[in-house]
Amino acid sequence: MLMNRCFLFLTATGLIAAASAQTSPPSGANPFTQHVAPMLTKRCSGCHNGQLASGGLNILPFRDPKSIREEREAWEKIVRQVRGGEMPPNGAPRPAQTERETFLKQVEEAFERDDRSRKADPGRVTARRLNRSEYSNTIRDLLGVEFRADRTFPTDDSGEGFDNIADVLTISPLLMEKYLTAAERIATRAMGLEKLPKPMESSYSIRSLLSGSPQGGGRGTIRRINVGTIEVTHRFEFDGEYQFRIGLPGERGAQAKPVKMNIWLDGQLVESRMVETKPSGLVYFDPFSEEQVKLTVGEGDRVLRIAFVEDEFLTALPEKDYFNRRKNKFPDTVMVVGPFAGTGERASRKSILRCDPKTGPACVEKIVSTLARRAYRRPVTAAETASLVRFVNEARRKGHSAEYGIRTALVAMLVSPHFLFRIERDDPRDPTKVHRISDIELASRLSYFLWRSMPDEELLGLAEAGKLRDKTVLRAQVKRLIDDPRSSALADDFAGQWLELRNLDTVKPDPDRFLYWGPDLRAAMKTETQLFFDHILRNNRTLAEFLDARYTFLNEKLAWFYGIDGVKGPEFRKVDLATDQRGGLLGQASILTISSYPSRTSVVIRGKYILQNILGTPPAPPPPDVPSLEEEAVGTSASLRQQMEKHRANPVCASCHAKMDALGFGLENYDAIGKWRSKDGKFPVDASGTLPDGRNFTGPSQLKSALLAELPDFAQNMVEKMMIYALGRGLGGYDRIVVKDITRRLATSNYPFQSIIYEVVESLPFQSRRGELLSKQDKPVETAQR
């Protein structure tokens, strides 16, 4: 930590008195000399001086106003600890409230004076490679082809908490090879030129699943959602037509009525039919019938759901009789057969072949130039078009069709730097100056920010016409992009990384301790948080609801886990909360699970999570000699709180854990997978905490209230995270004033979430860029995280 708790030295050497005598402020001194320097001398120099530089900090040079610029990173930490009540430490004489507030006010004003005295600088972003998510989405919107880059390309490196940071998105020989392979396959599929293999069969069965038999030949999974509903997730290797054979074993008796069976593919209802449930009338008992459906399916993981709906029989049937084929008829097996060649033309092929290439060179040039404009996300030159048309001519010279040549030209586009990278150019007249980016570049910044994909025709057309410079037009486009379903990428990519939600896919809670854990619960947890984020985004709700909303999104599985009645079925819906046990991100099982150990909760991880992800004030890394917790004692011979108090008795640990542990204890009513509890093993849960500034709270509800009091810090953290994500770079010292101004404007309107997006889009860093610097002396000062 920056400042160790060493208050025992405050009166030991007389350093305070001596330093005070040396630095009495002269009459007429400026505010910094009058209010800031004396407090540093009186309250801090006893521990942080030239002889006793606790925590490696000598505070005496900070009494000079010039230190605001020269030691800004250290000053930011000082302010943070004084504001949070961590300094001076407990047991040391504390400044009066007015003295403390005056100190903070004068330092903040000194910060602002320094920031505004600097030349405006929008920063600089290097050429950005499309990451895996952006690549997949761009292929989807360019060609209408589904391609899972996350299963084909190496994992993207991350920086500043996100995987779209330009400086870390390198390109290796292996990745380039995979780009070429992917381009050939994608282009072939888009043109409808792929040869389908012999149809294959993949079989799934609920009853076989219960006996442990493998399902689908390794291509997917089956699960029972609830009574009368099963779901198959199958990986389709080729676009084409597939046959689905749905096995319905059993009967319900001679008086049984037919039942309605619905079939959904990827959430869309594709078939609805009535199914007979009474005996067939045959002499021999035939417990099995089959329904067949043919569907055209694109490559990728697809979800088929089959359900008996409006089924009163199942509502009254005891669970023990569900699989009894003489008492019930139910969906059990699904066989997927295919692919078969479809009768219709691929939509992607239609969109590419805007005319018949057999009619001559003019049509070929039109097809190639139109496709290149969209692939490169900008107008293309005649020379670029000619170089691509040569691929078509060369293919025809070798005896191939014009369509095959267009496919080859498309491959060339997909491995071009103009497709794989987002390239922004400096002003050719002066490559060192700050300049506004072009409307074409702004269109790509906007679409990749909100959609993680290429600009659509409307956005690109406005950019080509130079209309995005108009603020009214730009705001209208931002609203349109937010309202579009593709903005769900913010929930998947931004929230998935800001909240570390992606970690939920890899956590492995101890199955012996947490019997409720399973794939369905994991998926439900993740969906709840994604829908919650998406709701706040699309409805422009206040940031405060991230901390303490009185609603969430549940299906029957998750509602049962939370102990909430009245939610039936696998579909998620918005549910108003009747108690304060849930609500906000910190009451959601996804967040609570990823901030725990596999076998128990962790007040340290949860406290650090709040400091880092919510308040934007991550603690310092632990020293290498920190003793470990006695794991076996937790919940048996001692509660977790007792163990942590013993842990914090070590002075090496105490300084960092005061605030972190207090926040983590506020969530102790949730176990390691987020289920509410009143006991930790055999000990009652004590979810109380005291923050360094003296505020007390007990339980999640009061913890949320304490965090709401720090809403400005949460808002500033959100602005910083959103700017990093939008710009594809870390923030520098030159970005401080932009962040502060946005945060202030948010406060005047009660922190609406969409306002952050509008403010970021309209900011200098988003709309401009700095040219290449000529010398080290020109380099702007970088800043560490707050």
Side-chain angles (χ1 to χ4, degrees):
M1 289 289 289
L2 176 66
M3 291 182 276
N4 195 14
R5 282 155 172 72
C6 56
F7 60 88
L8 292 177
F9 296 95
L10 282 171
T11 58
T13 64
L15 285 170
I16 296 177
S20 298
Q22 294 169 6
T23 58
S24 298
S27 59
N30 66 35
F32 185 94
T33 306
Q34 192 170 13
H35 299 288
V36 177
M39 181 167 163
L40 294 178
T41 300
K42 181 180 179 181
R43 304 292 181 185
C44 308
S45 62
C47 289
H48 303 284
N49 54 71
Q51 294 175 281
L52 184 66
S54 295
L57 177 67
N58 176 10
I59 206 74
L60 300 182
F62 287 74
R63 297 175 300 180
D64 187 336
K66 293 180 181 178
S67 67
I68 288 290
R69 172 167 290 199
E70 296 169 354
E71 300 288 349
R72 181 60 175 267
E73 181 180 341
W75 262 116
E76 295 273 3
K77 294 179 180 179
I78 292 170
V79 167
R80 186 165 67 243
Q81 293 195 329
V82 171
R83 180 184 289 118
E86 298 171 65
M87 286 291 150
N90 290 330
R94 294 225 169 192
Q97 183 69 13
T98 55
E99 181 184 3
R100 173 177 168 275
E101 290 176 355
T102 300
F103 171 84
L104 292 172
K105 178 176 180 292
Q106 294 301 330
V107 175
E108 290 288 357
E109 289 179 356
F111 284 169
E112 183 144 349
R113 286 192 298 271
D114 178 61
D115 291 338
R116 294 197 185 279
S117 70
R118 297 174 184 267
K119 184 178 179 180
D121 186 344
R124 177 179 178 82
V125 182
T126 55
R128 280 165 283 185
R129 172 175 67 77
L130 300 183
N131 66 16
R132 296 189 304 178
S133 174
E134 293 166 339
Y135 185 98
S136 295
N137 293 342
T138 303
I139 291 295
R140 176 200 66 201
D141 294 341
L142 174 66
L143 300 171
V145 172
E146 295 291 334
F147 178 78
R148 291 291 300 271
D150 59 324
R151 289 185 172 165
T152 306
F153 300 159
T155 302
D156 295 311
D157 291 329
S158 292
E160 306 291 337
F162 296 100
D163 62 5
N164 67 333
I165 304 302
D167 288 343
V168 302
L169 287 172
T170 57
I171 187 165
S172 64
L174 172 63
L175 180 56
M176 198 64 235
E177 182 180 334
K178 290 190 175 293
Y179 277 146
L180 180 58
T181 302
E184 291 174 339
R185 183 175 183 185
I186 291 167
T188 302
R189 288 177 51 208
M191 289 294 295
L193 300 176
E194 62 186 344
K195 295 181 180 179
L196 296 179
K198 181 180 178 181
M200 298 176 289
E201 297 182 354
S202 300
S203 183
Y204 301 88
S205 167
I206 288 292
R207 287 178 297 165
S208 296
L209 175 68
L210 296 176
S211 65
S213 300
Q215 301 293 308
R219 295 186 178 88
T221 58
I222 186 171
R223 60 177 182 155
R224 182 183 174 212
I225 302 295
N226 57 25
V227 290
T229 305
I230 62 174
E231 187 176 271
V232 169
T233 301
H234 182 77
R235 184 183 308 154
F236 293 87
E237 303 290 348
F238 298 90
D239 299 335
E241 190 174 81
Y242 289 82
Q243 185 180 74
F244 298 88
R245 300 174 184 171
I246 303 165
L248 306 170
E251 61 180 41
R252 295 182 177 180
Q255 305 303 316
K257 299 178 181 179
V259 63
K260 184 178 181 181
M261 183 177 71
N262 284 353
I263 302 171
W264 295 266
L265 180 65
D266 289 341
Q268 298 295 318
L269 183 65
V270 293
E271 185 79 18
S272 183
R273 61 179 64 175
M274 300 304 293
V275 174
E276 192 64 59
T277 62
K278 63 184 179 180
S280 63
L282 299 176
V283 176
Y284 297 101
F285 175 62
D286 180 9
F288 191 89
S289 63
E290 185 178 87
E291 298 286 334
Q292 297 186 10
V293 180
K294 281 190 175 182
L295 299 172
T296 299
V297 183
E299 180 190 26
D301 286 347
R302 306 296 178 188
V303 178
L304 188 79
R305 178 174 290 182
I306 300 101
F308 285 178
V309 298
E310 303 166 9
D311 190 357
E312 296 179 357
F313 182 89
L314 279 182
T315 303
L317 184 72
E319 174 67 19
K320 64 182 179 64
D321 291 333
Y322 182 83
F323 289 108
N324 187 331
R325 289 182 291 172
R326 291 192 178 274
K327 294 185 178 182
N328 185 31
K329 191 175 190 69
F330 53 92
D332 175 62
T333 64
V334 176
M335 181 174 287
V336 182
V337 186
F340 303 97
T343 56
E345 187 178 19
R346 281 188 59 89
S348 59
R349 177 183 168 87
K350 287 183 180 179
S351 69
I352 294 171
L353 300 181
R354 296 170 176 263
C355 55
D356 187 351
K358 296 177 183 177
T359 59
C363 174
V364 170
E365 183 175 326
K366 178 182 179 181
I367 291 171
V368 170
S369 63
T370 301
L371 194 55
R373 169 182 169 271
R374 299 191 65 236
Y376 298 166
R377 306 175 285 277
R378 59 166 175 78
V380 292
T381 65
E384 287 174 321
T385 299
S387 68
L388 291 168
V389 168
R390 280 199 293 269
F391 286 102
V392 185
N393 295 336
E394 181 66 16
R396 299 187 72 171
R397 189 184 67 79
K398 293 181 178 180
H400 298 293
S401 67
E403 292 179 8
Y404 184 87
I406 292 170
R407 172 257 183 207
T408 306
L410 178 54
V411 172
M413 295 178 210
L414 296 182
V415 295
S416 167
H418 300 294
F419 173 77
L420 295 173
F421 288 82
R422 294 166 53 198
I423 300 171
E424 298 173 347
R425 303 189 182 279
D426 293 332
D427 189 328
R429 296 166 296 181
D430 182 359
T432 68
K433 77 173 189 179
V434 170
H435 63 279
R436 189 186 189 280
I437 61 175
S438 71
D439 280 26
I440 296 294
E441 293 165 345
L442 181 59
S444 278
R445 280 198 179 192
L446 189 58
S447 67
Y448 280 98
F449 172 27
L450 298 178
W451 286 352
R452 294 295 343 103
S453 187
M454 59 183 284
D456 64 359
E457 188 58 39
E458 179 175 337
L459 184 60
L460 186 57
L462 288 170
E464 290 174 330
K467 293 183 178 180
L468 284 184
R469 297 176 184 272
D470 185 307
K471 184 175 180 179
T472 302
V473 173
L474 181 61
R475 288 183 69 87
Q477 287 301 302
V478 172
K479 184 179 189 310
R480 183 178 71 85
L481 267 63
I482 291 174
D483 291 342
D484 190 281
R486 281 171 284 190
S487 65
S488 62
L490 282 171
D492 295 335
D493 289 335
F494 174 75
Q497 295 177 89
W498 161 47
L499 298 173
E500 303 176 25
L501 198 58
R502 292 179 176 181
N503 293 346
L504 196 63
D505 296 332
T506 56
V507 297
K508 296 180 180 180
D510 187 339
D512 295 329
R513 296 195 181 199
F514 305 107
L515 303 179
Y516 302 125
W517 182 258
D520 292 352
L521 184 59
R522 184 203 304 265
M525 290 176 178
K526 191 172 187 178
T527 301
E528 175 192 20
T529 305
Q530 288 175 327
L531 291 177
F532 179 71
F533 178 94
D534 200 63
H535 173 82
I536 292 179
L537 166 66
R538 296 189 185 282
N539 293 278
N540 198 22
R541 305 297 299 173
T542 174
L543 293 181
E545 290 187 10
F546 278 119
L547 302 178
D548 192 17
R550 304 314 304 154
Y551 62 87
T552 191
F553 291 81
L554 304 173
N555 65 356
E556 183 176 358
K557 181 78 172 182
L558 192 56
W560 169 83
F561 182 73
Y562 284 171
I564 296 175
D565 297 326
V567 179
K568 300 296 182 183
E571 292 77 21
F572 278 81
R573 78 293 313 258
K574 184 170 178 279
V575 176
D576 292 329
L577 299 171
T579 73
D580 59 7
Q581 287 188 5
R582 302 289 168 179
L585 291 170
L586 298 180
Q588 295 179 8
S590 60
I591 305 300
L592 297 161
T593 301
I594 62 175
S595 57
S596 298
Y597 288 121
S599 60
R600 65 166 175 85
T601 61
S602 170
V603 298
V604 175
I605 296 177
R606 286 179 174 175
K608 179 183 177 182
Y609 184 94
I610 295 172
L611 291 175
Q612 178 170 292
N613 298 71
I614 304 300
L615 300 178
T617 56
D625 55 348
V626 173
S628 60
L629 203 66
E630 296 180 26
E631 293 283 344
E632 296 303 320
V634 175
T636 54
S637 61
S639 68
L640 179 60
R641 176 178 287 273
Q642 291 169 333
Q643 281 289 91
M644 288 305 302
E645 288 174 351
K646 179 181 178 182
H647 188 67
R648 287 199 306 275
N650 186 323
V652 176
C653 307
S655 60
C656 292
H657 282 268
K659 187 172 186 178
M660 189 161 54
D661 290 5
L663 294 171
F665 275 123
L667 300 175
E668 270 297 280
N669 280 118
Y670 305 110
D671 71 11
I673 60 171
K675 191 169 182 60
W676 186 267
R677 63 179 183 173
S678 58
K679 285 192 173 184
D680 171 17
K682 61 183 182 181
F683 297 93
V685 166
D686 181 355
S688 62
T690 301
L691 298 175
D693 61 7
R695 284 180 294 163
N696 298 313
F697 61 86
T698 300
S701 179
Q702 292 183 18
L703 170 61
K704 294 171 194 173
S705 297
L707 292 175
L708 284 171
E710 302 189 45
L711 189 56
D713 284 344
F714 174 49
Q716 181 169 330
N717 181 49
M718 283 294 292
V719 172
E720 291 174 350
K721 296 289 187 185
M722 196 68 81
M723 282 192 67
I724 292 170
Y725 180 79
L727 297 172
R729 65 167 174 82
L731 301 186
Y734 43 85
D735 295 307
R736 293 189 194 107
I737 199 65
V738 176
V739 171
K740 287 182 178 178
D741 285 347
I742 291 176
T743 306
R744 286 194 188 106
R745 288 193 290 270
L746 287 173
T748 63
S749 53
N750 197 30
Y751 302 103
F753 188 31
Q754 286 185 13
S755 292
I756 299 180
I757 295 173
Y758 285 104
E759 289 279 0
V760 168
V761 169
E762 293 169 6
S763 69
L764 176 72
F766 194 84
Q767 296 199 11
S768 301
R769 68 186 260 112
R770 181 196 340 115
E772 190 72 52
L773 297 174
L774 293 180
S775 66
K776 292 182 178 179
Q777 285 73 25
D778 294 323
K779 188 174 183 180
V781 177
E782 298 289 332
T783 184
Q785 282 192 336
R786 292 182 297 119

